[in-house]
Amino acid sequence: MSEGSPYPLPSHFAREQAVLMEAGIQSWPAIAALSDRDLDQLSRRGGALERQLRKLRGQAQLVVELDLEPYQAALLLYAGIASRQGLAAASPQMLLTQLGRLERSLTGMAPARITPALIRTWIKRAQEASRSTK
């Protein structure tokens, strides 16, 4: 999944998408690899907000480092999990509660796509990735 195109992004990232595409950034790994300096420079072009670009980079890092679907990484970010280290330290039950509440607010009564087993898998991946980079 992580090699795929991030486009189209949600409409609230329209300016950021235009700037990223203009800069030739066409994949999740390319977004994940952007430095703070890169984000600053990109935000100076065409009205992209650095805050939004940081969110996209955080999402991209979760997608790339943990092989998550983009929507899964976005849910984690909106639940306050912004890195693999944060996910590795998360309580599965607390995360299930937070993500379940968030997912229901977004999708209504549709069947949940985030399950306890999926959350445990994510946390295990994050813990393994954190250990391998120490």
Side-chain angles (χ1 to χ4, degrees), residues 50-124:
E50 187 172 351
R51 167 178 45 87
Q52 292 289 83
L53 290 169
R54 286 183 185 277
K55 286 180 187 177
L56 284 171
R57 180 181 62 185
Q59 181 180 5
Q61 288 170 338
L62 289 170
V63 167
V64 171
E65 293 173 5
L66 302 175
D67 197 30
L68 298 180
E69 295 288 332
Y71 85 89
Q72 295 169 334
L75 280 176
L76 286 170
L77 284 173
Y78 284 106
I81 304 294
S83 68
R84 72 168 182 262
Q85 296 85 353
L87 182 56
S91 154
Q93 187 56 49
M94 183 194 73
L95 198 51
L96 180 64
T97 301
Q98 284 180 302
L99 292 177
R101 194 175 299 135
L102 181 58
E103 193 175 27
R104 281 189 302 281
S105 75
L106 295 171
T107 63
M109 296 309 292
R113 296 178 358 181
I114 308 300
T115 65
L118 184 58
I119 288 174
R120 285 191 300 275
T121 299
W122 294 348
I123 291 173
K124 183 178 177 186

